[in-house]
Amino acid sequence: MADFKYEIVEHIGILSESAKGWTKELNRISWNGGEPKYDIRDWAPEHEKMGKGVTLSENEMAKLKDLL
């Protein structure tokens, strides 16, 4: 698997927490130095590991908001 870089630009909030301390979070993340995108995924307690998630552009997030 290729290396990649990420930076949590804005921590928006925690949606839930598991018994093992992992949290499902909504953040804005810059992947490989790109424009920050909205991101929903599970994170280990110190953000040292991450689970699979969903990344949304500004337009996709606006559409999701409208749908909800």
Side-chain angles (χ1 to χ4, degrees):
M1 186 170 158
D3 288 336
F4 63 93
K5 295 180 184 179
Y6 67 91
E7 176 187 0
I8 299 175
V9 175
E10 179 184 3
H11 173 73
I12 298 171
I14 295 174
L15 302 172
S16 63
E17 185 172 346
S18 75
K20 293 185 178 184
W22 282 60
T23 52
K24 183 170 300 200
E25 301 181 12
L26 173 61
N27 296 305
R28 290 189 67 230
I29 298 181
S30 171
W31 298 99
N32 294 318
E35 186 71 26
K37 295 186 178 187
Y38 290 94
D39 186 83
I40 300 171
R41 74 181 60 242
D42 292 331
W43 290 93
E46 300 298 321
H47 292 111
E48 72 276 10
K49 293 181 182 178
M50 67 179 83
K52 292 182 180 179
V54 175
T55 300
L56 303 167
S57 68
E58 290 280 343
N59 290 339
E60 291 169 329
M61 188 59 141
K63 179 67 175 181
L64 178 60
K65 182 180 173 186
D66 290 345
L67 290 171
L68 292 174

